[in-house]
Amino acid sequence: MTNNDIFRRIRYTFDLKDATIVDIFALAEVSVTQQQVTAWLKKDEDDAFVTMKNKEFASFLNGFISFKRGKREGPQPAPESQLNNNMVFQKLRIALNLKAEDILAAYELAGFRLSNHELSAFFRKPSHKNYRECKDQVLRNFLLGIQLQLRPSQDSSGSES
């Protein structure tokens, strides 16, 4: 999944308006315009589409944590220049203050089976012997499960109408 795909799904799931997204970036001490947000949200085939860089997406996720949980004291975390699905998953887990049971419940809603042991492997350090890379399918089903929890009556295809 690309940063833009995940960004679009988060926006849809939490029903975030462009102005709110600009505010979320501001919480991470990053200034973006509504035009930038609109370009990131465009479909990949659109001529106005702009690929969201890792640092920009990491800034959004850091701001999203502050948006959902409140801004923490002191300096804000620096956005990572390299992101992978495990890091995105971890940041979403923190932002939404989810415990393992909550995440497994989201997976169940999405019709995806995952054990507690498999889940915990995604949140380990890469150097740990039981670390497991979070594949696109795992992240996609997590986002779908959260979407089904928050917007149960909506179309589950994730389309932004």
Side-chain angles (χ1 to χ4, degrees):
M1 293 180 75
T2 67
N3 293 339
N4 295 69
D5 289 335
I6 302 167
F7 184 61
R8 281 191 291 261
R9 287 171 188 252
I10 291 170
R11 177 183 184 263
Y12 176 77
T13 298
F14 294 95
D15 197 19
L16 302 173
K17 307 293 177 234
D18 292 358
T20 306
I21 292 173
V22 170
D23 294 342
I24 289 172
F25 273 99
L27 289 172
E29 299 174 355
V30 174
S31 179
V32 298
T33 64
Q34 283 196 259
Q35 290 77 15
Q36 283 176 285
V37 172
T38 303
W40 289 326
L41 292 169
K42 297 270 185 214
K43 296 287 180 199
D44 299 11
E45 312 82 47
D46 195 307
D47 291 340
F49 170 80
V50 175
T51 301
M52 191 175 212
K53 295 178 179 64
N54 283 335
K55 214 166 188 131
E56 294 164 336
F57 189 50
S59 295
F60 169 75
L61 291 171
N62 291 343
F64 191 62
I65 291 170
S66 297
F67 177 72
K68 295 302 268 179
R69 298 193 58 170
K71 199 164 183 173
R72 73 182 205 190
E73 296 295 316
Q76 295 307 302
E80 294 81 358
S81 55
Q82 293 299 314
L83 271 182
N84 62 32
N85 285 350
N86 296 64
M87 296 163 82
V88 172
F89 197 0
Q90 174 76 331
K91 285 177 181 284
L92 289 172
R93 185 184 85 151
I94 292 168
L96 302 174
N97 200 19
L98 297 174
K99 295 181 179 32
E101 305 83 54
D102 304 325
I103 296 170
L104 293 173
Y107 277 121
E108 200 168 303
L109 263 180
F112 190 76
R113 311 250 339 124
L114 198 68
S115 75
N116 205 357
H117 296 296
E118 290 172 306
L119 178 63
S120 67
F122 297 130
F123 302 118
R124 299 185 186 282
K125 291 189 185 309
S127 58
H128 192 281
K129 67 177 182 144
N130 291 330
Y131 171 83
R132 188 166 153 216
E133 182 186 331
C134 182
K135 303 282 187 206
D136 285 353
Q137 178 188 15
V138 175
L139 187 58
R140 188 178 300 113
N141 278 293
F142 169 69
L143 292 167
L144 176 60
I146 296 296
Q147 177 185 320
L148 291 171
Q149 283 178 340
L150 297 175
R151 299 181 81 155
S153 62
Q154 303 289 326
D155 175 15
S156 64
S157 68
S159 63
E160 297 126 47
S161 31

